[in-house]
Amino acid sequence: MPPKRQKTSAVTVYTRVKEYKDIFHVDNGLFFCNYCDLSVEWKHKSTIDAHCTSKKHLSQQKLYIANERNKNQQTLRKDGTISQAPTLCQIYLFRVFNKHLESLKTIFDLKPISIIMDETSDNCARSVVNTLFVFHTHIKLVSVNFLEQVNNSTIGQTLLPILTFYNIPLNLSCLFLSDSAAYMKKCYRNVLKPIILQLIHLPCIAHILNLIGETWRDFSQFSLLKTFLAKIKDSFVKSPARKARYITHLRMNEVALPYKIPLSNKTHWNS
Ligand SMILES: [Zn+2]
């Protein structure tokens, strides 16, 4: 008789959370009961079921539901309108955020993802690094980190814990997309590639096109052409009559569909 085939669908702490929706959550890789606030061993279904039917769990569940009802009565007004911003921030934001985080974890759990990283600055001039994960049609912002220093090693130090947090094995990530800044390239070469061997670096095409555009604009050999275009623009913008004469001229020379003269616009041509 052939040996019994093993089940192929792997049970993880996240699939368990899905199975026991609203009863358990994952915290630091541990399977936590929402009601009892203690970790439960998740590998065996029988252990979880035993916990869920235990006296302690059932009484905690009752207490939790009663508390929730009380809270809702405090936050919802009699006429059913929504609470003020401070209440929403203190009570709801945290819960909504955690829920969102859990759904992100479910999307990317154990998946071969692509990573997008870019740096920007906020209105307090702090460096902010945004990390996005891509898997099939899912493109999600998964982390926003404020860095005191931005260089190849701090970018690497930012990314690796994010991969661990979302349960992405290092042998699964396949693509790293960033701008062509020297520290990003160095981060790929010296920090990420030695750890994630199959990782490919893709410099962002939008950033490259922008760089080419900037270079052309400041290219000294084009100064004569720039002056020429500016003078044409000046002579047409300030004279509607000249514009009309230009169209007439085109018609007289048998241009079937005469258009207005295209004028250069140095701030728009690369945007
Ligand atoms: Zn419990």
Side-chain angles (χ1 to χ4, degrees):
M1 214 173 97
K4 231 185 181 179
R5 216 194 257 176
Q6 276 203 324
K7 269 190 188 172
T8 44
S9 57
V11 174
T12 67
V13 69
Y14 298 105
T15 61
R16 282 288 190 230
V17 167
K18 263 199 223 162
E19 253 177 86
Y20 294 87
K21 227 174 152 201
D22 298 332
I23 307 176
F24 292 93
H25 69 274
V26 185
D27 191 354
N28 240 334
L30 292 172
F31 192 56
F32 261 90
C33 175
N34 291 344
Y35 307 130
C36 312
D37 204 23
L38 54 86
S39 72
V40 176
E41 202 280 311
W42 55 268
K43 281 182 184 139
H44 302 285
K45 198 171 159 44
S46 55
T47 320
I48 305 171
D49 288 337
H51 173 83
C52 290
T53 48
S54 69
K55 252 188 188 170
K56 195 187 165 219
H57 175 86
L58 292 173
S59 74
Q60 287 293 328
Q61 187 179 20
K62 243 187 201 169
L63 206 70
Y64 184 92
I65 291 168
N67 274 344
E68 286 295 292
R69 203 174 294 143
N70 261 344
K71 264 189 219 164
N72 285 344
Q73 277 165 357
Q74 279 167 21
T75 48
L76 268 181
R77 293 196 196 135
K78 273 180 192 155
D79 57 1
T81 51
I82 299 170
S83 323
Q84 295 286 314
T87 319
L88 291 177
C89 284
Q90 279 165 19
I91 298 171
Y92 290 101
L93 188 65
F94 182 68
R95 282 192 237 162
V96 172
F97 179 77
N98 280 341
K99 216 171 169 184
H100 178 66
L101 210 57
E102 286 304 321
S103 77
L104 288 180
K105 279 181 175 176
T106 322
I107 294 172
F108 297 113
D109 182 41
L110 296 169
K111 298 292 189 315
I113 52 138
S114 300
I115 304 152
I116 301 173
M117 276 186 113
D118 199 16
E119 191 237 337
T120 181
S121 49
D122 69 359
N123 56 0
C124 303
R126 289 173 299 187
S127 295
V128 188
V129 173
N130 292 319
T131 307
L132 288 91
F133 282 172
V134 183
F135 177 68
H136 284 245
T137 50
H138 298 287
I139 303 170
K140 304 276 183 194
L141 176 70
V142 295
S143 189
V144 177
N145 298 77
F146 293 86
L147 300 189
E148 295 217 339
Q149 277 187 340
V150 178
N151 56 44
N152 68 90
S153 84
T154 55
I155 292 287
Q157 281 163 11
T158 306
L159 177 62
L160 292 173
I162 298 172
L163 292 177
T164 318
F165 181 78
Y166 283 95
N167 202 25
I168 312 290
L170 293 179
N171 60 351
L172 281 188
S173 321
C174 42
L175 194 96
F176 178 65
L177 190 143
S178 73
D179 58 16
S180 300
Y183 69 88
M184 280 292 191
K185 288 197 218 164
K186 198 173 173 189
C187 172
Y188 167 75
R189 222 172 34 238
N190 295 4
V191 185
L192 301 177
K193 182 74 177 167
I195 306 171
I196 310 171
L197 297 174
Q198 73 288 354
L199 198 69
I200 296 166
H201 184 221
L202 183 69
C204 172
I205 190 78
H207 281 93
I208 294 172
L209 282 175
N210 184 53
L211 279 177
I212 296 171
E214 292 289 324
T215 314
W216 277 69
R217 212 153 74 183
D218 303 333
F219 211 45
S220 60
Q221 280 86 338
F222 282 110
S223 65
L224 185 66
L225 182 65
K226 270 161 54 184
T227 317
F228 174 65
L229 290 173
K231 294 233 184 269
I232 291 182
K233 192 173 174 177
D234 272 0
S235 60
F236 275 91
V237 166
K238 288 167 191 164
S239 168
R242 194 169 283 141
K243 276 186 197 167
R245 278 205 301 277
Y246 174 77
I247 301 273
T248 315
H249 169 77
L250 292 181
R251 281 214 185 94
M252 279 167 69
N253 285 278
E254 292 168 5
V255 175
L257 286 166
Y259 284 106
K260 278 192 277 180
I261 187 162
L263 298 172
S264 70
N265 188 333
K266 63 180 176 182
T267 54
H268 276 193
W269 78 281
N270 187 41
S271 58

